Amino acid sequence: LPIWERQLLQCIELHVEIPLLLEKITTQPILQVSDGAAVEWIASYGWVLATEAGKRLATGSGPAAGEDPRSFRAESYGILAILRLIKRAFDYHKTNPQGQKTTLICDNEGLIIRAQKGREWKYP
């Protein structure tokens, strides 16, 4: 993996085996929860990938890099880490996601607005 992606995925704890994680993602609604914080020049994030019933599938955390990071960036790192974990798991098992419902939970209004607008884009 590229260095940026290795750093993003280095602090992950899997609570289920990858095949079960992929099964849950493709057969039931999933929650993606991200939180982040920034103080002066330091930022970090934490995230949880879980079933809608609250069963944790994976968790992770790490630093949010960049000059003068803010909470928007920190929470975005958490969401990116979840998405990269899912993508890499599907790539490794040579399967494709089936498009189940995913609920994104975060407390950054700017990030929520950006995610909603992104859903309207016509290109991937």
Side-chain angles (χ1 to χ4, degrees):
L1 299 177
I3 292 171
W4 69 268
E5 195 169 10
R6 277 190 306 221
Q7 291 172 339
L8 192 65
L9 299 175
Q10 69 184 351
C11 294
I12 291 177
E13 183 176 347
L14 295 173
H15 300 276
V16 297
E17 298 290 327
I18 291 288
L20 182 57
L21 181 136
L22 295 176
E23 177 188 325
K24 298 286 186 189
I25 289 171
T26 58
T27 61
Q28 53 187 272
I30 296 297
L31 300 175
Q32 294 180 27
V33 183
S34 177
D35 198 13
V39 180
E40 295 180 14
W41 293 92
I42 301 170
S44 61
Y45 63 90
W47 58 265
V48 176
L49 179 63
T51 65
E52 203 170 53
K55 177 167 175 45
R56 288 184 300 167
L57 303 173
T59 55
S61 63
E67 188 173 317
D68 192 20
R70 306 284 185 195
S71 64
F72 180 94
R73 179 179 298 187
E75 291 201 25
S76 297
Y77 263 75
I79 294 165
L80 180 60
I82 295 169
L83 296 175
R84 296 309 291 184
L85 170 65
I86 292 170
K87 180 190 181 329
R88 290 299 180 181
F90 278 111
D91 288 351
Y92 181 80
H93 286 277
K94 296 179 177 46
T95 59
N96 293 314
Q98 301 298 315
Q100 289 295 318
K101 178 184 172 193
T102 299
T103 301
L104 173 61
I105 300 172
C106 74
D107 63 358
N108 187 294
E109 183 179 18
L111 183 55
I112 293 168
I113 290 168
R114 179 90 48 97
Q116 288 170 335
K117 287 182 179 179
R119 293 176 54 105
E120 299 168 5
W121 295 339
K122 301 300 180 208
Y123 57 90

